[in-house]
Amino acid sequence: GSAKIVYDRFGEENISCTVTVRFAEDDANTYWGISLKNRSGKIVDSVTFPGVTVFDDLIDDGGTRRLFSSMMEGVEMRSTKLRSLTGPATHNPYPPRGWEGAYPGPAPMQFMAYYDGQDGLYFASHDAHANYKFVEWYAEDGGIVLLQEVYPQAAKKDFELDYPVVLGAYKGDWYDAAAIYRDWVMSSGLLKLPKFKDNPDMPEWIY
């Protein structure tokens, strides 16, 4: 099945936003999409979608859960205090600092996971074209916001995410979430992207 949510005059501007959610009884995942119609005359610089808030219940702060972040090639966060060591999850990260959830870059994966070893929440972009995005998190008001931010270059134009953002339940820890992501990667064609040295689109100055 599917559900559709429409926001008109988003942010008090002449921008309409449509969110679609696909789901099936035999699938633990839901698949989220978003499209914008921009008639505001302004530039849509970035789109943060979706923002998912979970309990701030990390194990070193007295809770039972852990958060797997893709930053720095994968880090298991046991306390939200670690956010102060890596800096804020900025919303317009120009330029990237080299250790955050910038994908592709210091973050080699497009997923995060929130889990206690028994049950978990999987949060990923299944984007086979490896579009630039931030896969990030921050603590706020007793919760942890998981977010993905994309840069549509939608200057006064319409925009539609051309891949699903996946949110689903699973059993296990970060390793089991990574297995879900790996299974998608292996079937997606993502690994068929040309190696750097074989990419015909690279400008000569790169070499």
Side-chain angles (χ1 to χ4, degrees):
S2 65
K4 182 181 293 187
I5 308 166
V6 178
Y7 301 90
D8 200 19
R9 299 200 61 81
F10 189 77
E12 301 303 318
E13 299 287 350
N14 190 9
I15 300 173
S16 63
C17 169
T18 301
V19 174
T20 57
V21 185
R22 294 185 291 109
F23 48 88
E25 289 185 5
D26 59 349
D27 190 343
N29 293 321
T30 55
Y31 302 86
W32 295 65
I34 187 171
S35 63
L36 302 178
K37 290 189 180 298
N38 183 7
R39 303 293 181 266
S40 68
K42 298 181 179 179
I43 294 173
V44 176
D45 177 67
S46 62
V47 176
T48 301
F49 174 81
V52 177
T53 302
V54 296
F55 288 112
D56 185 352
D57 188 37
L58 299 189
I59 193 164
D60 283 359
D61 298 330
T64 62
R65 295 184 173 269
R66 296 169 172 84
L67 172 68
F68 178 84
S69 169
S70 291
M71 67 170 61
M72 296 177 286
E73 300 182 346
V75 180
E76 185 176 70
M77 297 291 182
R78 298 168 58 96
S79 169
T80 56
K81 296 181 179 67
L82 290 170
R83 181 84 265 177
S84 65
L85 301 178
T86 59
T90 54
H91 290 281
N92 285 295
Y94 306 122
R97 294 159 300 186
W99 59 78
E100 65 278 270
Y103 173 90
M109 300 155 290
Q110 308 174 69
F111 84 96
M112 290 186 288
Y114 174 76
Y115 50 89
D116 61 6
Q118 299 296 317
D119 302 294
L121 181 70
Y122 174 76
F123 179 58
S125 277
H126 284 188
D127 173 13
H129 298 291
N131 292 290
Y132 183 74
K133 61 180 66 68
F134 257 48
V135 185
E136 269 289 6
W137 66 276
Y138 61 92
E140 182 178 75
D141 298 333
I144 300 172
V145 180
L146 313 179
L147 64 91
Q148 299 209 12
E149 185 171 81
V150 296
Y151 307 94
Q153 298 179 339
K156 304 179 183 179
K157 298 179 181 178
D158 299 340
F159 167 72
E160 184 172 3
L161 207 61
D162 61 357
Y163 56 85
V165 179
V166 181
L167 185 66
Y170 73 95
K171 295 289 186 183
D173 56 16
W174 74 265
Y175 197 87
D176 298 283
I180 298 171
Y181 183 72
R182 180 184 60 200
D183 288 345
W184 168 75
V185 166
M186 297 300 289
S187 65
S188 68
L190 180 62
L191 297 181
K192 294 179 182 177
L193 292 172
K195 292 185 177 181
F196 187 87
K197 66 182 181 65
D198 300 324
N199 190 341
D201 296 327
M202 288 296 170
E204 282 297 321
W205 65 263
I206 287 287
Y207 299 99

